Amino acid sequence: MGDEGKGRFTNLLAGEGYAAVARFNGGANAGHTFEHNGEEINTHQIPSGITYGIDNYITNSSLVDPVALIDEMRVLERAGIEFEPGRFIISASANLVLPLHIMLDEIRENGAHAQGSTKRGIRFAAADKYQRDGVTAEQFFSGQMDVVFEQLTRATEQLTDSEQIRELIQKHQNWANAMQVLAPFFGDTVEIVHSQLDADNHILAEGAQSSGLDIEHGIHGEGTSSHVTVGGVLNSLGVGPHYVREVFGVAKLIKSRVGGTPESFPTRIEDEELAAKIRGPKGAIDSEYGKSTGRARMVGWLDLAELRQTKRVNGLGSLIVTKLDCVSSAGETVKIATHYEDANGEVVEHTPTSMDKLRELKPVYQELPTWNGNIQDIRRFRSLPGEARDLIKFISAELDLPVSMIGVGPNKEQTIDRRRK
Ligand code: GDP
């Protein structure tokens, strides 16, 4: 449910001849981490292809926070990454996150109705979008600033503290300045995507959150505010289904999640001592602490019912699994939920979208042996310990899905690639 290592694999795939990487959903609420020239790179809104000399797009369904985006660009620039207008392009029709959205998110998260959001204003920007009150760069640059001022006026009416009002107006001024700085980067990504496709170039679409958090296909009320599935890709890029060549799913062998209610994560590990062992040391590149928030993530066993649902909702062609090297942190055995059982003992093979239904289901586990020794330097499947191979084969057979790549360490080259080239 996040932090599977999607960024690391999109970064790896992006170097395989794609003309562009398109980030199709989410916003500054996401965090991807990968290694670049020996340095740890954290991205939030910027596509993971930014380390290559290829195009990178932020497409229509993303929720763009211009202030946070500039901060992110500055950090990457210090790591030697360049942003060229015409090559890094943000959809001018993507909805924008305003400071008032962030403020409303903070107020809600600090109150009785907290939902464990990352306080980046995503939920409120999405709400405005679907109420058709959202603001886009197109409107901003064509001088339709009334929309912003209307929003601001509405927000200030809810505030009684004049200091808060002053602060909010100041933040909106900074926001408008950030938009001017970003002006050369806005464009028509649908047009650009189609010109790439017309030239037979390939585009890699990258999600911000995991499939289980989709607003419609995830647990109702527990997910994120956008579509994170392949359906969302088509819509955000503005392309038809015949352009989809290959769909990779990424799953971490021991799951984690930050935020959300524990009940939405039925395979979570409640033994805090074991959970802490699995999380690893805080501060390590691959430890289970939120990149955007620093919060300790909930950890739990791989859930094949959830992956089956992900497979069918997205039409996965293969699965990439990550952190095989970390599996032994669970001890001598690792558990995998193969399916759920309901109160009548009936087998349930797919995760439902209703929390009430999920609450009635119990995960059924298979326990598999782990192995000793470090596997981070192994690059061939057949060189893995027998138990590690059996674990991968077991998952692949249960899901009826090939496992195309395996992460055995946080670095790009620490990968076992089983694709036929
Ligand atoms: P994302 O949101 O799915 O892109 O995931 P994150 O980037 O937030 O978190 C994944 C973290 O796990 C990163 O720090 C990666 O470097 C690390 N990681 C990814 N794959 C592996 C792996 O196979 N082994 C280890 N040890 N770490 C990995």
Side-chain angles (χ1 to χ4, degrees):
M1 300 284 263
D3 313 301
E4 295 86 0
K6 295 180 292 294
R8 169 250 170 116
F9 275 97
T10 39
N11 183 245
L12 178 88
L13 288 168
E16 296 187 349
Y18 288 93
V21 177
R23 177 63 181 275
F24 70 89
N25 82 312
N29 55 341
H32 293 317
T33 313
F34 49 89
E35 171 269 345
H36 170 67
N37 292 343
E39 264 189 74
E40 177 177 331
I41 301 280
N42 290 298
T43 57
H44 299 282
Q45 303 185 75
I46 295 170
S48 306
I50 201 68
T51 56
Y52 302 96
I54 59 175
D55 284 9
N56 283 272
Y57 312 137
I58 298 179
T59 56
N60 292 29
S61 309
S62 297
L63 294 162
V64 178
D65 177 342
V67 178
L69 184 54
I70 289 175
D71 287 346
E72 196 182 330
M73 288 165 74
R74 297 286 175 261
V75 173
L76 294 191
E77 277 167 353
R78 282 199 287 279
I81 292 167
E82 286 173 19
F83 293 88
E84 238 184 276
R87 306 223 64 181
F88 173 54
I89 303 162
I90 312 159
S91 169
S93 43
N95 275 247
L96 299 164
V97 177
L98 298 170
L100 68 91
H101 295 137
I102 297 171
M103 195 197 69
L104 292 171
D105 208 357
E106 282 167 354
I107 292 173
R108 176 151 174 187
E109 282 303 314
N110 295 335
H113 301 289
Q115 277 185 325
S117 97
T118 51
K119 302 185 191 172
R120 305 289 163 153
I122 296 297
R123 170 197 346 199
F124 289 93
D128 275 343
K129 167 177 167 172
Y130 286 104
Q131 290 182 131
R132 287 166 280 146
D133 282 330
V135 181
T136 67
E138 247 152 24
Q139 288 168 305
F140 179 82
F141 291 116
S142 63
Q144 297 171 49
M145 282 303 290
D146 307 1
V147 274
V148 180
F149 289 122
E150 266 170 35
Q151 300 248 21
L152 190 54
T153 309
R154 240 186 303 139
T156 52
E157 277 164 3
Q158 292 175 37
L159 300 174
T160 43
D161 181 342
S162 60
E163 191 50 46
Q164 240 177 346
I165 295 175
R166 225 189 334 267
E167 191 187 317
L168 191 60
I169 290 170
Q170 179 60 48
K171 282 188 173 159
H172 274 259
Q173 190 55 52
N174 296 345
W175 179 92
N177 294 341
M179 286 297 288
Q180 296 300 346
V181 174
L182 285 181
F185 297 102
F186 283 102
D188 182 342
T189 53
V190 174
E191 189 67 38
I192 293 155
V193 160
H194 278 278
S195 62
Q196 291 282 16
L197 295 172
D198 289 347
D200 278 338
N201 289 332
H202 294 193
I203 297 173
L204 183 66
E206 166 189 44
Q209 282 91 15
S210 68
S211 186
L213 298 179
D214 186 84
I215 185 126
E216 276 170 1
H217 295 288
I219 306 289
H220 182 71
E222 283 289 319
T224 190
S225 304
S226 58
H227 292 286
V228 299
T229 53
V230 170
V233 174
L234 301 183
N235 204 49
S236 185
L237 270 67
V239 300
H242 53 292
Y243 285 114
V244 178
R245 289 270 302 248
E246 215 172 346
V247 184
F248 295 99
V250 183
K252 185 160 58 182
L253 289 162
I254 298 183
K255 275 183 62 167
S256 70
R257 181 168 183 189
V258 69
T261 49
E263 287 172 304
S264 68
F265 188 173
T267 60
R268 71 189 177 278
I269 294 168
E270 301 202 80
D271 172 350
E272 200 29 57
E273 209 177 307
L274 176 59
K277 263 199 329 194
I278 290 171
R279 269 183 214 117
K282 195 170 181 176
I285 184 171
D286 54 359
S287 68
E288 297 293 351
Y289 290 85
K291 285 286 177 297
S292 295
T293 59
R295 284 182 284 181
R297 297 177 185 145
M298 288 189 275
V299 290
W301 308 115
L302 189 68
D303 183 343
L304 296 182
E306 188 187 30
L307 287 181
R308 256 180 229 112
Q309 180 71 350
T310 300
K311 178 190 164 186
R312 68 180 185 182
V313 166
N314 294 281
L316 297 188
S318 77
L319 192 67
I320 296 173
V321 297
T322 62
K323 295 184 91 169
L324 184 65
D325 56 311
C326 299
V327 166
S328 297
S329 68
E332 288 184 2
T333 58
V334 64
K335 292 211 279 185
I336 292 185
T338 51
H339 58 279
Y340 310 130
E341 251 175 37
D342 69 12
N344 305 318
E346 295 285 333
V347 170
V348 176
E349 292 211 307
H350 297 92
T351 306
T353 51
S354 145
M355 182 76 121
D356 288 339
K357 274 202 190 129
L358 186 64
R359 246 185 235 120
E360 290 166 7
L361 302 174
K362 292 241 167 326
V364 177
Y365 294 102
Q366 176 97 14
E367 212 158 328
L368 298 175
T370 60
W371 50 91
N372 290 320
N374 188 330
I375 60 166
Q376 291 198 332
D377 294 330
I378 295 178
R379 299 289 173 270
R380 284 173 194 280
F381 186 71
R382 63 167 183 270
S383 309
L384 284 170
E387 295 87 349
R389 274 181 282 142
D390 288 345
L391 177 78
I392 302 293
K393 285 183 198 158
F394 177 78
I395 293 166
S396 179
E398 279 284 327
L399 297 174
D400 189 19
L401 192 65
V403 171
S404 51
M405 285 193 268
I406 302 167
V408 291
N411 297 341
K412 231 185 304 213
E413 74 279 6
Q414 290 174 313
T415 299
I416 295 176
D417 189 346
R418 303 172 77 204
R419 291 171 299 167
R420 236 180 271 147
K421 294 262 169 71

